[in-house]
Amino acid sequence: MMELQEAKQQFIDTWGALGSEWGINKSVAQVHALLLSASNPMATDEIMEKLVISRGNANMSIRQLVDYGIVYKKHIAGDRKEYFVAEKDVLKWAMKIAVMRKQKELDPVMDILREISKNTEKDKTDEGKEFHKTVKDIQVLTDQLETIANKLFNTSGGDFLLKLVKLMI
């Protein structure tokens, strides 16, 4: 049977590797996993020690996670250090990450597709018509994905997502 500390380390390592696959800095993902697996708030020094990372790396990772809204500062009375805790509600932090990724990745593509579609709609050459149709088809698909994403992300507590998951089960 795997011991708890070994299981936590495996979780941190796996989360870090998965984060890298998704284009997230490995240290950011590992700090998130460490805080998810922690029972108590952690100070930067403790995070550095557990993950064997520099202060700069730890601070940058924590700042990014705080900016995502999935890690919070926690002040402990009588202690001058800043402590950090992860949002433990999986649906809440998953939704926050999804919204951030949509804004960062999907929204700029949508803007570019709209611009290209607008700029090519009057081209009457066969090649121009074909290219415009291809771009328009991609735009229609991404518009539909955006509509679905907005419905998922703009419901309180992810109610729509939970209903959708229940329908699929």
Side-chain angles (χ1 to χ4, degrees):
M1 186 164 106
M2 187 181 292
E3 288 191 29
L4 180 59
Q5 293 311 313
E6 183 181 349
K8 284 184 176 187
Q9 187 60 53
Q10 186 176 15
F11 174 68
I12 292 164
D13 293 343
T14 302
W15 205 247
L18 186 60
S20 294
E21 293 293 323
W22 288 347
I24 297 168
N25 181 292
K26 180 180 176 182
S27 295
V28 173
Q30 286 181 319
V31 169
H32 186 229
L34 176 63
L35 292 172
L36 281 172
S37 67
S39 301
N40 297 309
M42 296 181 75
T44 305
D45 290 339
E46 189 177 3
I47 293 168
M48 291 168 43
E49 181 182 315
K50 295 249 187 213
L51 297 178
V52 191
I53 59 174
S54 70
R55 180 171 303 282
N57 196 353
N59 285 331
M60 181 198 68
S61 298
I62 292 165
R63 187 174 336 118
Q64 193 169 349
L65 293 165
V66 169
D67 289 346
Y68 290 167
I70 60 176
V71 165
Y72 310 104
K73 289 181 183 180
K74 172 90 173 170
H75 295 283
I76 296 177
D79 195 334
R80 293 174 54 177
K81 291 182 187 176
E82 282 187 331
Y83 289 85
F84 301 92
V85 294
E87 172 62 60
K88 299 284 180 141
D89 184 323
V90 175
L91 187 56
K92 277 186 184 177
W93 61 256
M95 295 286 273
K96 286 181 180 189
I97 290 172
V99 166
M100 184 266 313
R101 303 270 324 230
K102 177 193 168 294
Q103 291 169 344
K104 183 179 171 186
E105 296 165 18
L106 185 59
D107 291 353
V109 170
M110 294 293 297
D111 293 341
I112 291 168
L113 288 173
R114 283 185 197 101
E115 183 181 333
I116 292 171
S117 180
K118 183 180 160 206
N119 291 337
T120 60
E121 68 186 338
K122 293 182 180 164
D123 190 322
K124 299 302 177 196
T125 66
D126 288 344
E127 184 179 4
K129 288 179 189 178
E130 181 182 351
F131 178 68
H132 176 75
K133 183 184 178 327
T134 299
V135 170
K136 193 68 176 173
D137 289 348
I138 295 169
Q139 183 186 356
V140 167
L141 175 64
T142 54
D143 280 340
Q144 291 169 346
L145 291 172
E146 181 179 41
T147 298
I148 292 168
N150 287 336
K151 285 187 183 198
L152 288 174
F153 304 146
N154 293 330
T155 60
S156 63
D159 292 339
F160 185 79
L161 179 60
L162 289 175
K163 287 176 186 174
L164 185 62
V165 169
K166 286 179 183 176
L167 284 174
M168 295 170 62
I169 297 176

